[in-house]
Amino acid sequence: KIKRDLQEGKMNRKIDMIAVHCDANGNTKWGLKELDIFHRSEGYGGIGYHFWIDFEGKVHKTRPLNIKGCHVFDHNANSIGICLHGHSVFYHAQFKSLTTLLVELCKKYKLDTDRIFPHNYFTKIKPCPNFDLTHIKSEVANILQESFK
């Protein structure tokens, strides 16, 4: 049942926000397999984020967008979750890929950058994503503004 539930299908939910996370793991040998095992152990039926960005900046689609995520309590039904691999060290390639992905998603779902949130906006218990999104949101806004000229 879980495999069928996680298949790509018709979009039947309204996306009105994006939440940015980190996986709080700086292990270079840790990857999608380990993330999947961890999230399944938490009862998520697979990786709870829709996208995961590795240290090299490669964007991995980890959950179909038509399936609600498991990444922000009380906001999963209407959000997309993006996670960067890392804890306290992140790389330029990751931020570049995050910026590109955010631009694509904002265009697709007609979202303003004020609808991009760090995970810690919703819970003060965790510092996730462990970096300031201000500069990235500003860059996304500039790119979006240029694309409408």
Side-chain angles (χ1 to χ4, degrees):
K1 181 176 190 251
I2 289 173
K3 250 190 168 76
R4 188 183 75 236
D5 287 348
L6 292 180
Q7 290 177 348
E8 197 74 52
K10 182 180 176 215
M11 185 59 127
N12 56 1
R13 61 191 197 104
K14 178 171 177 12
I15 303 301
D16 66 7
M17 62 169 266
I18 299 169
V20 179
H21 306 261
C22 72
D23 61 23
N25 190 319
N27 186 339
T28 57
K29 297 186 184 337
W30 205 75
L32 289 176
K33 179 182 175 188
E34 292 77 15
L35 182 61
D36 185 56
I37 290 168
F38 173 69
H39 277 208
R40 286 181 188 281
S41 76
E42 296 289 310
Y44 299 158
I47 296 172
Y49 312 112
H50 295 93
F51 299 95
W52 185 73
I53 302 174
D54 66 24
F55 283 141
E56 289 77 37
K58 182 175 180 188
V59 176
H60 302 266
K61 189 170 184 185
T62 51
R63 180 177 282 258
L65 290 170
N66 62 303
I67 304 295
K68 77 175 184 173
C70 296
H71 58 95
V72 178
F73 183 73
D74 274 347
H75 297 280
N76 289 315
N78 61 320
S79 66
I80 293 172
I82 302 171
C83 180
L84 275 70
H85 182 40
H87 182 266
S88 56
V89 176
F90 300 93
Y91 298 93
H92 177 74
Q94 289 177 288
F95 292 135
K96 185 175 178 184
S97 294
L98 175 61
T99 300
T100 301
L101 180 58
L102 288 170
V103 167
E104 290 173 9
L105 293 171
C106 284
K107 283 181 180 180
K108 181 173 184 173
Y109 295 103
K110 298 175 178 47
L111 300 176
D112 291 326
T113 55
D114 64 349
R115 301 304 299 160
I116 300 169
F117 299 96
H119 183 212
N120 62 15
Y121 177 86
F122 302 99
T123 176
K124 302 303 179 205
I125 297 169
K126 300 177 181 180
C128 175
N130 293 338
F131 59 87
D132 187 359
L133 271 176
T134 306
H135 177 73
I136 291 170
K137 287 174 64 169
S138 177
E139 193 171 334
V140 170
N142 289 338
I143 293 168
L144 290 171
Q145 188 175 29
E146 287 297 315
S147 70
F148 291 119
K149 286 186 176 180

